[in-house]
Amino acid sequence: MSRTNLSRSRTDFLDGFKQAAPIVPAIAVFGMLFGATAVNSGLTAFEALLASATIHAGASQFVFLELFGFKAPVWSILLAVFAVNFRHLLYSASLSRHMSAFVGPIKYIAFFWLSDPQFGASEQRAERQGLSIAFYFGFASFGYPCWLTGSLIGTLFGALINDPRALGLDMLLAIYFVTLLMGFRSRPNWLPVVLASGVASAILFKYLGPPWHISLGAGVGIVLAAFLGKPVKKEEADA
Amino acid sequence: MLEFLLSPTQRSDVWLVIILLGVVTYFTRSGGHIILARFKSIHPRVEAALEAVPAAVLVTLVVPPALTNGPFEFFAVAISIIASLRFPPLLVLSIGLAVVIAARQAGF
């Protein structure tokens, strides 16, 4: 690798690392909540960490704890976690179009870290200057260890965070997602897609409940986008 | 195997269930690419649909917390949307979070 490539990679890695910084407190606290809840649900600290390390998807891990608490059959836990994580299918379908730099097995290794924030940040990067391996793993190498460390601390001192609400940590991710969402506003049909999915998710959240408001709510906007096609190219053709 | 899947989750099997959940989750994370890679070319409408995925998903992660937490949380999200038109993400995050924390410290 030439010297310029190496320094380019270093810059990209640091960019990814820095991009993860603002959400790291929320990730760590979410991890702590999981660790504490897991131990209270009867898991050992090792099992709690194994879950955070292998599943690495917060919401679905709480679903697992809930169902494990009911002594639910194994198949129903597998199905519930699949349902909660279904949205990731959309992430890899969309992001893989921007992963031409990820050759061979690297792409399949990278998918392991494709969480909600990882997807949002990577799409944004792809839009602005192209997505490199270094940026992707720079982002992952900050968030993932913090998630594991948070989980570990949670198993040890679960009762320490007595009021995460007062610190606004439950809203931090929502506001972070607002900043990512607004970053995509120059994409074709952004406003109709956002309105359709936004309204649909509110209705689905109220009447069907999580997790379907994510996959189905997003689905409404995505189908609308397919229906509207590509107006940019059409205008070019008309002109 | 079938009996394992159908029976209630045993305390001693938790580690195995956790690993299977990891495999299921990895499949959802790589599956979209695997399905898409089976097609040689992407139809323009599919392309348009995939182009809409980030905005369509992100808004569903924003709307329920904005609507179900209370008026100040709604206000914090609304302010963040407007602030995003002018300011960089980190500043928007600080503004939005400050609204939430201030409202909650004040006892709302």
Side-chain angles (χ1 to χ4, degrees):
Chain A
M1 195 185 282
S2 76
R3 198 182 193 128
T4 44
N5 276 347
L6 198 66
S7 71
R8 170 80 203 279
S9 291
R10 191 175 296 153
T11 319
D12 276 12
F13 187 88
L14 283 174
D15 280 356
F17 203 80
K18 277 187 249 167
Q19 172 94 57
I23 55 157
V24 151
I27 293 174
V29 170
F30 200 30
M32 285 187 223
L33 288 176
F34 174 75
T37 314
V39 172
N40 287 331
S41 309
L43 260 60
T44 64
F46 171 76
E47 287 159 350
L49 274 178
L50 183 68
S52 282
T54 58
I55 307 171
H56 172 41
S60 68
Q61 290 176 220
F62 280 99
V63 169
F64 154 63
L65 290 182
E66 182 86 2
L67 292 176
F68 171 65
F70 298 146
K71 290 211 176 303
V74 176
W75 70 266
S76 69
I77 299 182
L78 292 174
L79 190 64
V81 166
F82 178 76
V84 176
N85 288 327
F86 187 79
R87 65 186 186 283
H88 294 104
L89 283 167
L90 296 171
Y91 296 177
S92 54
S94 176
L95 196 63
S96 71
R97 297 171 306 138
H98 308 295
M99 293 171 86
S100 50
F102 292 61
V103 286
I106 297 174
K107 190 183 270 178
Y108 291 91
I109 295 167
F111 284 137
F112 179 80
W113 284 277
L114 193 53
S115 58
D116 299 303
Q118 179 83 47
F119 171 67
S122 301
E123 280 277 347
Q124 189 182 60
R125 182 74 172 187
E127 171 117 336
R128 289 181 183 168
Q129 51 206 110
L131 179 63
S132 66
I133 296 170
F135 177 88
Y136 188 96
F137 284 101
F139 192 93
S141 64
F142 200 177
Y144 188 66
C146 289
W147 169 245
L148 291 182
T149 310
S151 303
L152 176 66
I153 294 171
T155 64
L156 299 175
F157 319 98
L160 268 186
I161 339 156
N162 45 20
D163 198 3
R165 219 184 148 268
L167 300 172
L169 287 163
D170 55 325
M171 290 302 289
L172 195 157
L173 274 180
I175 297 168
Y176 174 71
F177 291 136
V178 165
T179 66
L180 290 178
L181 173 65
M182 296 302 287
F184 291 110
R185 64 183 186 276
S186 58
R187 284 204 179 175
N189 292 315
W190 179 84
L191 191 60
V193 167
V194 165
L195 289 177
S197 284
V199 171
S201 73
I203 295 168
L204 288 160
F205 186 81
K206 187 161 167 35
Y207 294 104
L208 203 57
W212 295 107
H213 70 282
I214 302 175
S215 299
L216 294 181
V220 172
I222 292 165
V223 168
L224 178 68
F227 184 74
L228 295 173
K230 288 220 156 189
V232 181
K233 282 194 177 150
K234 217 184 201 172
E235 277 162 24
E236 279 167 6
D238 289 347
Chain B
M1 183 68 187
L2 191 64
E3 202 187 310
F4 167 71
L5 288 174
L6 292 176
S7 61
T9 308
Q10 297 301 311
R11 183 69 199 77
S12 54
D13 295 337
V14 177
W15 65 274
L16 182 58
V17 175
I18 289 170
I19 288 171
L20 287 175
L21 292 175
V23 172
V24 165
T25 303
Y26 178 76
F27 176 75
T28 66
R29 285 184 169 142
S30 56
H33 165 70
I34 292 168
I35 294 165
L36 208 63
R38 296 176 67 93
F39 300 96
K40 281 210 180 79
S41 63
I42 304 175
H43 190 275
R45 287 197 188 279
V46 177
E47 182 81 34
L50 291 174
E51 195 78 356
V53 169
V57 172
L58 289 166
V59 71
T60 70
L61 298 174
V62 169
V63 168
L67 293 182
T68 56
N69 273 300
F72 287 96
E73 285 79 356
F74 178 80
F75 179 67
V77 170
I79 277 283
S80 304
I81 292 171
I82 296 163
S84 293
L85 298 171
R86 286 297 300 267
F87 302 122
L90 208 54
L91 184 59
V92 174
L93 206 60
S94 315
I95 295 170
L97 211 55
V99 172
V100 175
I101 293 173
R104 287 177 180 178
Q105 296 294 333
F108 290 105

